[in-house]
Amino acid sequence: MENIHLTIVFAPLVAAIVAGLFGKQVGRAGAHWITILSVGLSFILSCLVLKHLYWDGGEAQNYTLYTWAVSDGLRMEVGFLVDRLTALMMVVVTFVSWMVHIYTVGYMHDDPGYQRFFSYISLFTFAMLMLVMSNNFLQLFFGWEAVGLVSYLLIGFWFKRETAIFANLKAFLVNRVGDFGFILGIAGVVMFSGSLDYATVFASSEFIANQQIEVIPGTAWNAMTVICILLFIGAMGKSAQAPLHVWLPDSMEGPTPISALIHAATMVTAGIFMVARMSPLYEFSETALAVVLTIGAITAFFMGLLGVVQNDIKRVVAYSTLSQLGYMTVALGVSAYSAAIFHLMTHAFFKALLFLGAGSVIIAMHHEQDIRKMGGLRKYMPITYWTAVVGTLALIGFPGTAGFFSKDALIEAVKYSHWAETDALVYWIAYLSVLLGVFVTALYSFRMFFLVFHGEERMDKETKSHLHETPWVVTAPLILLAIPSLVIGWITIEPVLFGGFFGEAISVTTGHDVLVQVGETFHGSWNFIIHSLTAGPAVYLALAGAATAWFLYLKRPDIPASIATKFSGLYDLLDHKYYFDDLYIKGFAAGGRRIGQFLWSKGDELIIDGIIVNGTAKQIGRFAGILRRVQTGYLYHYAFAMFFGLTLILAWLLWA
C-alpha cells in the first residue's frame, strides 16, 4: 500500500510541475489533461485505500518515509498515517478536486493564465493530501502552510485587479494570526512530550493534562488547555471562525473554481480535520472544548445572518460556508467528532455543487454576479437549475438529502451533549444558535435561489439575448456532485456515526460519547427521517425559512426594502459585516501604520538620525570648531600656552 499512498500524493505534484514549468511546451490541452488524469488517478486510488481499510478490514498504517533531521533527540520526519479518517478525507479531497479540474476547462477557457491555473489547483491538491496524510506535527505544519500559500496565489490569480490583490493579502495576514497560535501550540506539544509524532504525543496526553504552565509569571494554567486553545486558534484562521473569518468572503475575488476547491471541501475544512485528529488531546480539556463550542456557535448563527443581506451570488454561498463551518466546530465542541467529519463530507459535495452552480450562472450572465440583476434563469439553464435545487435543499437540511442527515445528527448531538449538565449557559448558546441557524440558512439560501432562477427577468436585453445552458464540461461536474449531495447521507450515516467507522482514529472519553446516546434512537435512515419530523423543530424551521424567502422575494418583493428602511440600524450592522473590516482595516491596520509613522518620525528621524547620528556629527563639528581656534599660528600664543602650562604643573607639584 505504501506505493499507492505515494502515487496518490505525488501524482498531483508531478502534474503541477509539468503544467507550471512546461506549460508552453505541453500547451493548454496538455496542461488540463495531465492534471485531470493525475487527480483522477489519486481519487481512484484513494477509493481503493478506503475499500482496503473499511470493507476489506485492513489495518491502519503509520510509517516514516524520510528523516529530515534529528536535534537533541527530537526527530523531524516525513511520514504517513493512513487510517479511516485519513482515507475518508483523501476521497473527499480528490473527488472534489477532480470535479473542479474538469469544470475549470470550461470556466477558464479564455483566460491567458490557463496553464498556470491548472498548475496551482493541482499543487493545492498535493498540499492538502500531505496535510491529511501526515503522521506528525512537522508535516502537518508543512501541509498547513502549503495550502495557505497556494490559496494566496489562487485568490490573487487575477493579479491585475486591485481587489484581488487586497483579498489575497487579507487572507494571508489573517491566517498569519491563526498560524502564530498554531505554531505556539505545536511548540507546547514538543515542550511537554518531547516529540512531534502523533502516536507519541497522544500517548503522553494524560501526562500533559496534569502539567501546569505559566504564560504570565505567577499565574499557572493547565498545559493541555493552553496547547489545545493555541491549536484551535490556528483552526480559527484556516477554517474561518469568528473573529478570524473576514478573509473568506473577500476570497471570492478569485476564479469560481477556487471558491469550490478551497472554500467548500478542502482548505477551510483543514481546521475541522485537525481538531478531530487531535481528539485525544481535546478530550482532556473541558475549557478548550467550551472555547471551541462557543466560537462555533457564534460563527454558525451570526455569520449566517450576513448572508441575508448579500447580493453577490458567490458571497452568499461564502457566508453559508462560514455558517456551516460553525456547525462543524459546534460538533467538535460537544465531542461529536464523527458528526463534524460527517457534515464535513456531505458539505463538501453540496457546497462545491453550489459554488460551481454559481459559476455556471456567472458564465451565462457574462460574469455578472449581482443576483438583483438576474431572475427567471430556470427556463434558460435547466441543468444548472435542477442541480441548484439539489444543492440548496441539501444546504438547508431538507429530509432525505445528504445535508439533512449530517446537520440533523449534529443538532441532536448538541441537544444531548454533556454540556446540558455541566454548563447550562454554554449549552443554550450552542443549541439555540444551531437551531436558529437552520431558519437563517433556509432564508438566505432560498432568497438567492428565487432571485436567480424565478421571478421576473431583471437582466439587460444584451445579456438576455445570449442566455443559454453552459457546456458539458461545466454541467457534468454539477451532475456528478448532485448525486452524492442526494444519496451519500442515506448510505453513510449508520457506519460513520453509529458503526464505529473511524475506530481508534477518533478518541472520545466515556462521559462525552454523545453519539452513543443519539444512536440509541437510530433504526435506519427512514426511521431517522421520521424521528426528526416528530422529535425536533429543525426541519420545520428550515421549511419556515424557505417559505419566508418565497413570500418576501417572490410574493411581496416590496417588503424587504421596507424592512431595511424601518430597521436601518440593524441593516447597516449586517451590511457592514458587524464592522469587523472597519476594526481591522481602519483600526488595527491603520493604527499600525500610524504607530509606524510615529516611530519613523520621532524614533528614526528625530532620535536616531537627528540626535545620535547627525547630532553626534554636529557636536564633533562644533567641538572641532572650538579647538581649531587654538591653532592660531602665532609664536607668542604658543609661548604663552607653554608658560601657562608649566605654571600649572609647578603649582600642582608644590601643592602635592
Side-chain angles (χ1 to χ4, degrees):
M1 294 297 290
E2 292 185 14
N3 289 333
I4 293 179
H5 299 160
L6 289 171
T7 304
I8 292 171
V9 173
F10 290 108
L13 176 62
V14 172
I17 293 172
V18 172
L21 299 183
F22 305 100
K24 291 184 179 180
Q25 288 80 0
V26 299
R28 294 166 68 89
H32 71 236
W33 274 114
I34 190 170
T35 52
I36 290 172
L37 292 175
S38 67
V39 176
L41 175 63
S42 294
F43 168 67
I44 293 169
L45 294 179
S46 296
C47 291
L48 291 177
V49 170
L50 183 61
K51 173 183 176 294
H52 169 73
L53 291 173
Y54 182 65
W55 282 278
D56 299 342
E59 294 291 327
Q61 292 181 277
N62 185 3
Y63 57 93
T64 298
L65 285 172
Y66 173 70
T67 300
W68 178 49
V70 179
S71 176
D72 197 22
L74 180 65
R75 301 184 66 83
M76 303 179 192
E77 300 172 333
V78 176
F80 292 153
L81 169 59
V82 183
D83 53 18
R84 292 179 184 179
L85 174 59
T86 304
L88 182 64
M89 290 296 298
M90 290 162 60
V91 170
V92 171
V93 168
T94 52
F95 178 72
V96 174
S97 178
W98 194 24
M99 294 301 100
V100 170
H101 275 70
I102 297 171
Y103 178 93
T104 300
V105 175
Y107 192 88
M108 302 292 288
H109 182 265
D110 298 321
D111 197 283
Y114 192 80
Q115 293 98 315
R116 177 167 58 94
F117 189 84
F118 274 98
S119 176
Y120 285 172
I121 58 177
S122 192
L123 182 62
F124 178 87
T125 307
F126 158 74
M128 193 66 195
L129 288 170
M130 286 292 284
L131 188 157
V132 301
M133 295 175 69
S134 61
N135 72 344
N136 63 83
F137 284 92
L138 177 68
Q139 186 174 326
L140 173 69
F141 189 71
F142 165 78
W144 194 270
E145 293 301 306
V147 294
L149 169 65
V150 184
S151 70
Y152 172 81
L153 296 173
L154 287 168
I155 294 169
F157 181 79
W158 287 321
F159 53 84
K160 293 183 180 180
R161 296 183 182 178
E162 290 188 10
T163 52
I165 296 303
F166 178 80
N168 72 356
L169 180 61
K170 188 175 184 180
F172 180 81
L173 292 176
V174 172
N175 274 276
R176 294 291 67 74
V177 175
D179 292 352
F180 181 67
F182 188 59
I183 198 169
L184 286 177
I186 295 175
V189 166
V190 175
M191 176 180 175
F192 287 99
S193 70
S195 176
L196 289 164
D197 181 71
Y198 288 165
T200 304
V201 173
F202 295 161
S204 305
S205 296
E206 189 170 355
F207 168 78
I208 299 173
N210 292 320
Q211 302 303 305
Q212 300 290 318
I213 183 173
E214 291 189 5
V215 179
I216 301 173
T219 304
W221 292 343
N222 180 267
M224 185 64 82
T225 297
V226 173
I227 289 171
C228 289
I229 290 177
L230 287 171
L231 292 175
F232 180 64
I233 291 173
M236 288 170 62
K238 199 68 70 183
S239 292
Q241 297 297 290
L244 300 182
H245 65 281
V246 294
W247 66 270
L248 191 142
D250 283 9
S251 67
M252 296 300 106
E253 290 295 333
T256 298
I258 298 315
S259 303
L261 182 63
I262 295 179
H263 310 124
T266 48
M267 176 179 145
V268 292
T269 59
I272 308 299
F273 165 78
M274 185 273 293
V275 176
R277 174 63 81 192
M278 300 302 146
S279 59
L281 303 181
Y282 280 86
E283 285 299 289
F284 280 94
S285 176
E286 286 286 305
T287 304
L289 288 175
V291 171
V292 172
L293 179 60
T294 305
I295 293 294
I298 291 171
T299 304
F301 178 66
F302 288 100
M303 295 303 110
L305 284 176
L306 297 181
V308 178
V309 299
Q310 296 298 312
N311 296 311
D312 185 300
I313 187 171
K314 287 171 63 177
R315 285 180 181 263
V316 175
V317 185
Y319 278 106
S320 78
T321 299
L322 283 174
S323 181
Q324 298 308 303
L325 288 168
Y327 273 87
M328 299 175 208
T329 305
V330 166
L332 297 172
V334 298
S335 297
Y337 304 100
S338 298
I341 298 299
F342 185 42
H343 194 50
L344 183 158
M345 175 188 67
T346 61
H347 174 265
F349 298 121
F350 64 74
K351 187 51 61 68
L353 170 61
L354 287 171
F355 268 120
L356 296 186
S360 179
V361 170
I362 292 169
I363 293 173
M365 292 291 297
H366 296 282
H367 296 279
E368 176 59 64
Q369 297 184 197
D370 192 333
I371 59 178
R372 295 170 297 182
K373 299 179 181 179
M374 300 179 187
L377 293 183
R378 174 185 178 182
K379 65 181 180 182
Y380 300 103
M381 308 179 70
I383 298 176
T384 301
Y385 172 77
W386 286 109
T387 54
V389 170
V390 172
T392 304
L393 291 177
L395 175 59
I396 72 168
F398 187 81
T401 61
F404 161 77
F405 289 106
S406 59
K407 184 182 286 188
D408 206 74
L410 190 156
I411 294 172
E412 287 290 290
V414 177
K415 180 180 179 180
Y416 293 107
S417 69
H418 68 280
W419 291 106
E421 298 178 358
T422 58
D423 195 324
L425 178 61
V426 171
Y427 170 77
W428 282 109
I429 289 174
Y431 188 51
L432 290 177
S433 292
V434 295
L435 276 182
L436 295 175
V438 172
F439 175 84
V440 173
T441 299
L443 177 60
Y444 67 68
S445 298
F446 271 96
R447 170 182 176 264
M448 179 183 72
F449 179 77
F450 289 139
L451 289 178
V452 171
F453 294 104
H454 290 271
E456 62 175 313
E457 299 173 358
R458 297 177 298 277
M459 69 286 294
D460 58 62
K461 292 182 179 180
E462 177 67 20
T463 301
K464 185 177 179 179
S465 65
H466 293 92
L467 279 175
H468 59 83
E469 186 60 270
T470 46
W472 71 267
V473 289
V474 174
T475 56
L478 297 181
I479 296 170
L480 292 174
L481 285 166
I483 294 171
S485 296
L486 279 176
V487 305
I488 197 71
W490 289 87
I491 60 180
T492 58
I493 181 172
E494 184 170 5
V496 172
L497 291 188
F498 311 118
F501 175 85
F502 295 110
E504 296 182 356
I506 288 177
S507 175
V508 182
T509 56
T510 304
H512 290 180
D513 200 354
V514 65
L515 290 178
V516 172
Q517 186 174 354
V518 176
E520 292 175 356
T521 59
F522 180 82
H523 303 289
S525 299
W526 273 113
N527 285 329
F528 187 79
I529 295 176
I530 295 171
H531 173 77
S532 298
L533 292 174
T534 57
V539 172
Y540 302 103
L541 286 170
L543 295 177
T548 303
W550 171 82
F551 180 76
L552 292 179
Y553 298 99
L554 287 184
K555 194 72 175 175
R556 291 290 304 276
D558 58 301
I559 293 180
S562 176
I563 294 174
T565 303
K566 189 172 182 180
F567 300 96
S568 58
L570 176 60
Y571 180 82
D572 288 342
L573 179 66
L574 297 177
D575 190 46
H576 287 85
K577 298 167 281 188
Y578 306 120
Y579 295 96
F580 273 108
D581 281 339
D582 290 337
L583 173 62
Y584 294 154
I585 296 172
K586 298 179 182 178
F588 294 152
R593 289 195 297 271
R594 284 193 293 268
I595 292 172
Q597 179 75 20
F598 174 80
L599 292 176
W600 170 72
S601 62
K602 304 301 181 183
D604 189 50
E605 279 200 325
L606 178 62
I607 297 175
I608 297 176
D609 287 343
I611 297 176
I612 298 176
V613 178
N614 296 332
T616 302
K618 290 177 181 178
Q619 293 304 319
I620 291 174
R622 291 188 185 121
F623 185 65
I626 295 171
L627 288 180
R628 185 169 60 248
R629 295 175 182 176
V630 176
Q631 302 295 331
T632 62
Y634 293 109
L635 183 60
Y636 64 89
H637 285 170
Y638 299 142
F640 175 77
M642 291 174 63
F643 176 77
F644 183 73
L646 286 173
T647 303
L648 290 178
I649 293 172
L650 289 173
W652 179 75
L653 290 174
L654 291 173
W655 182 263

